[in-house]
Amino acid sequence: MSSTTKASRIGEELWKTRVDKVNAELVTLTYGTIVAQLCQDYDGNYQEVNKQLEKMGYNIGMRLIEDFLAKSNVGRCANFRETADMISKVGFRIFLNIAPTVTNWTSDNNQFSLVFDENPLADFVELPDDGRAQDELWFSNILCGVLRGALEMVQMQIEAHFVSDVLRGDDTTEMRVSLVRYIEDEMPPEEE
Amino acid sequence: MTVFSLIIINKAGGLIYQREFQPGLRKLSTNDYLVLAGTFHGVHAITRTITPKLPLLTPTATASTPTSASSNLASPSGTSTPIPPTTTTTTTTTTSVAATTYTYPIPGVPATGLESLETDKFRLTCFQTLTGTKFLLFTDPHMANIEVVMKKIYEFYADFVMKNPFYQLEMPVRCEAFDRNMNGWLRGRT
Amino acid sequence: MSYYFTILSPTDVPLFNIAFGTSKSGGDGIARFRFPDTAQYMNQFIIHSSLDMVEEAQWMNGNMYLKHIDTYPPASAYISAFLTPSGARFLLLHQPPHAAGPNANAGGSGGGGGGGIGGGSSILGGSFAAGSSAARASASSIAANPTSPQTEEAVRQFMAEVYENYVKTVMNPFYRQGMEIRSAVFRSRVTAAGRKWL
């Protein structure tokens, strides 16, 4: 697992030396307020809230990738497994100071899971007890969008979604990431 | 230590930024800058396609599982990246890639194209980010450590352009903070 | 010892309430108030009637914990209060178990105040059934001396822990200020704090 340990080292180093820190509660409350406001604006239509969060994340990811590359100074990953390590050990480390576990690879190396032991976005959160949010809302869905936007900018089309969330009472928080294809042309993507 | 000017070209070949830091080069009309950007983009793309592909080495004995991915971050084609990763091995290291176990991103497309162009009076250095944006820096031909300048400019770009929520991606850069910080930093170096 | 805990918003809207009994000294954690089950509103009545005292006391010093601030002798109910900086009131009503007459006085671990309280209990003791074994078991604990320093300290610890969890609960983005706290997590944590300190 040389690429894993190397990615961990890079992530740690960057986190210590290059990252401006902000108060975690500020981030948590800001994000929580956005989600709660969306739930209110869409009148409890959680599918739509999930979609909007994903879209917001997508627009963030397309911008954040440049910061990631400028800071981390890493080159192109040789394969999707290395990409997964970079996402977990460097990306999540420098932006959220967590390193979700990469696991559950499919045999074709095109799909993996990120298992979040901690999730700064979801501190203090308890989903609304309206009987539906527990089944429909993916509170941290913005992260799926961030990954999709960021990887699209480096020519990878992926699909990401949550499959479980401790907020819903599941044992783990798990995101499934699948590589759809490598984008070969360099046409600019449409910004949503 | 002279940095004449900077041009940024988006991934579609459009000119999105042009700025002069120190006088020295003759000025072009706006239209000519656009042509320059478009032309360079085309030439760059062609130089990418004519880059010879190095044959992939057979998997080494240690690379028996697909998880033991190569630690080499350099491009598969073997050309050096404009800013060599400081923490990793460079292209001189043999790529011990288990080629049979996975495909490369964008199989067959080399990572870099034209990197520098030099005349008696100036040097043009091109840095293409992994997202496809190109930074063209016009400097004195004898200037050293261009990559340091380039890296810093890329960071400014990430900070003040990409993180500006009102900047629309792929559109011309009109971010006053970007100009100000870059000017300040470059002035501090001379 | 039986407890009734309530949180009131700065505008006196009840946000949360819970009744529980002591778990110390062999208590089973179930509230046994001296009112018949049909008169549980008495808890709310007593606790809300102490609000005047709270409002008087809250400007007297800068403390968040106001200690024991009110007593309702007919029911032998003692009220302790805690203020959050935002003006929410945590009120805890505690009611010693049916004291077995002079036994409560004989507990002796309370000072003069404890003795006085014991006297109050014994008055009531005449009008209620005799104390159970559980009551005797807790005679030497904080339960028997609602105004002793030990009790004040235990309540303070309880309030501090509830406050910590209250802050986390109101940080929940789906909680709107002034809304009733319906979080099951919060309720279980208050119960846990009660079990731990009271």
Side-chain angles (χ1 to χ4, degrees):
Chain A
M1 290 302 237
S2 64
S3 76
T4 309
T5 51
K6 184 171 63 67
S8 301
R9 217 182 51 232
I10 296 174
E12 286 297 331
E13 181 66 22
L14 287 170
W15 171 255
K16 282 190 200 128
T17 58
R18 300 294 314 277
V19 178
D20 294 334
K21 318 287 192 296
V22 295
N23 182 290
E25 273 85 21
L26 177 67
V27 176
T28 308
L29 290 182
T30 307
Y31 181 68
T33 306
I34 290 171
V35 179
Q37 187 67 46
L38 280 174
C39 291
Q40 200 178 323
D41 290 354
Y42 286 97
D43 214 12
N45 180 348
Y46 295 119
Q47 271 84 14
E48 190 60 30
V49 173
N50 292 341
K51 214 171 101 190
Q52 291 299 325
L53 286 173
E54 208 272 352
K55 201 185 269 187
M56 286 161 66
Y58 176 73
N59 288 329
I60 293 173
M62 294 215 298
R63 294 162 183 270
L64 215 53
I65 184 69
E66 300 282 12
D67 189 55
F68 172 85
L69 294 171
K71 276 208 183 87
S72 67
N73 222 352
V74 297
R76 194 177 290 285
C77 294
N79 55 56
F80 200 49
R81 277 184 171 267
E82 203 177 303
T83 306
D85 281 335
M86 278 293 165
I87 292 169
S88 155
K89 304 291 185 310
V90 185
F92 275 104
R93 172 67 72 197
I94 65 178
F95 293 121
L96 287 176
N97 193 25
I98 54 174
T101 313
V102 178
T103 182
N104 291 344
W105 281 96
T106 51
S107 56
D108 61 359
N109 284 330
N110 280 344
Q111 265 187 45
F112 65 91
S113 288
L114 289 170
V115 177
F116 296 79
D117 294 330
E118 47 182 337
N119 178 1
L121 296 184
D123 284 347
F124 319 119
V125 175
E126 291 174 39
L127 297 179
D129 52 357
D130 57 3
R132 292 188 301 112
Q134 300 274 341
D135 301 319
E136 297 173 18
L137 179 64
W138 293 114
F139 184 83
S140 307
N141 215 37
I142 198 166
L143 297 178
C144 299
V146 172
L147 289 190
R148 183 167 72 90
L151 291 181
E152 180 173 308
M153 291 294 278
V154 285
Q155 296 92 36
M156 273 172 260
Q157 190 185 335
I158 61 139
E159 196 278 328
H161 62 272
F162 277 99
V163 291
S164 67
D165 191 338
V166 289
L167 292 182
R168 294 180 169 207
D170 300 324
D171 292 336
T172 54
T173 301
E174 177 176 344
M175 189 204 289
R176 194 84 188 134
V177 183
S178 333
L179 175 67
V180 179
R181 67 186 179 101
Y182 289 111
I183 303 161
E184 308 235 0
D185 55 348
E186 286 192 357
M187 290 307 287
E190 297 292 320
E191 191 170 1
E192 287 179 16
Chain B
M1 166 71 207
T2 313
V3 178
F4 295 120
S5 69
L6 171 72
I7 284 179
I8 302 179
I9 303 174
N10 69 14
K11 67 181 72 171
L15 179 76
I16 55 169
Y17 186 83
Q18 190 277 321
R19 183 157 188 94
E20 185 171 283
F21 298 111
Q22 278 163 289
L25 295 179
R26 296 188 53 191
K27 286 213 173 24
L28 295 176
S29 70
T30 312
N31 196 42
D32 283 346
Y33 278 118
L34 285 168
V35 173
L36 172 66
T39 310
F40 187 89
H41 181 73
V43 173
H44 186 271
I46 292 168
T47 56
R48 270 173 78 121
T49 59
I50 61 173
T51 305
K53 290 177 195 168
L54 291 183
L56 295 174
L57 298 180
T58 50
T60 57
T62 54
S64 51
T65 63
T67 53
S68 62
S70 159
S71 67
N72 193 333
L73 281 171
S75 60
S77 66
T79 54
S80 66
T81 46
I83 299 172
T86 50
T87 54
T88 63
T89 54
T90 52
T91 49
T92 50
T93 316
T94 312
T95 46
S96 57
V97 193
T100 51
T101 52
Y102 47 76
T103 59
Y104 283 104
I106 330 180
V109 176
T112 61
L114 184 59
E115 284 171 10
S116 85
L117 209 61
E118 205 170 316
T119 74
D120 265 4
K121 302 293 178 200
F122 72 90
R123 175 193 286 162
L124 165 62
T125 310
C126 169
F127 166 53
Q128 185 178 33
T129 71
L130 290 180
T131 59
T133 309
K134 279 189 276 291
F135 292 78
L136 268 51
L137 204 56
F138 293 83
T139 58
D140 186 281
H142 305 296
M143 185 176 137
N145 292 328
I146 294 179
E147 62 274 22
V148 176
V149 180
M150 197 68 99
K151 180 165 161 35
K152 193 70 192 174
I153 288 175
Y154 187 27
E155 282 176 26
F156 283 133
Y157 174 77
D159 279 348
F160 298 106
V161 180
M162 295 308 280
K163 288 187 198 166
N164 176 356
F166 297 104
Y167 169 70
Q168 284 189 301
L169 298 187
E170 309 299 323
M171 296 306 279
V173 177
R174 286 191 207 87
C175 301
E176 195 262 333
F178 179 52
D179 293 345
R180 184 156 30 85
N181 282 278
M182 213 160 39
N183 268 329
W185 187 77
L186 283 171
R187 203 172 300 127
R189 277 177 65 84
T190 47
Chain C
M1 190 77 141
S2 301
Y3 298 94
Y4 183 80
F5 175 72
T6 193
I7 298 178
L8 294 170
S9 81
T11 51
D12 298 344
V13 179
L15 302 181
F16 178 85
N17 60 65
I18 187 172
F20 59 94
T22 188
S23 301
K24 302 275 187 214
S25 310
D28 55 5
I30 295 169
R32 289 186 186 80
F33 291 105
R34 298 181 193 185
F35 326 107
D37 283 345
T38 51
Q40 291 302 312
Y41 57 82
M42 282 301 286
N43 281 327
Q44 292 173 1
F45 173 75
I46 296 167
I47 218 165
H48 284 84
S49 70
S50 72
L51 275 174
D52 285 344
M53 311 287 282
V54 174
E55 277 164 18
E56 207 169 283
Q58 69 176 325
W59 305 112
M60 302 303 281
N61 58 40
N63 294 338
M64 289 165 77
Y65 178 37
L66 303 180
K67 300 189 179 176
H68 167 241
I69 49 144
D70 195 15
T71 309
Y72 182 69
S76 180
Y78 302 85
I79 317 282
S80 298
F82 181 94
L83 291 166
T84 72
S86 63
R89 270 75 62 89
F90 293 4
L91 298 173
L92 180 74
L93 180 153
H94 33 129
Q95 189 180 52
H98 297 197
N103 281 359
N105 277 330
S109 60
I117 302 306
S121 305
S122 65
I123 293 165
L124 285 155
S127 57
F128 288 92
S132 64
S133 61
R136 250 175 275 119
S138 59
S140 61
S141 73
I142 56 171
N145 306 292
T147 53
S148 71
Q150 290 89 337
T151 309
E152 299 279 27
E153 178 60 18
V155 173
R156 191 184 67 75
Q157 299 274 25
F158 169 77
M159 291 292 197
E161 187 164 330
V162 171
Y163 177 51
E164 199 174 300
N165 288 303
Y166 168 81
V167 169
K168 285 182 184 159
T169 303
V170 299
M171 296 262 270
N172 176 5
F174 295 106
Y175 176 79
R176 284 197 325 279
Q177 287 314 310
M179 199 170 82
E180 182 193 344
I181 298 174
R182 283 179 299 195
S183 161
V185 176
F186 180 67
R187 183 166 289 272
S188 71
R189 286 189 180 146
V190 172
T191 308
R195 199 174 300 134
K196 186 162 152 199
W197 300 112
L198 302 175

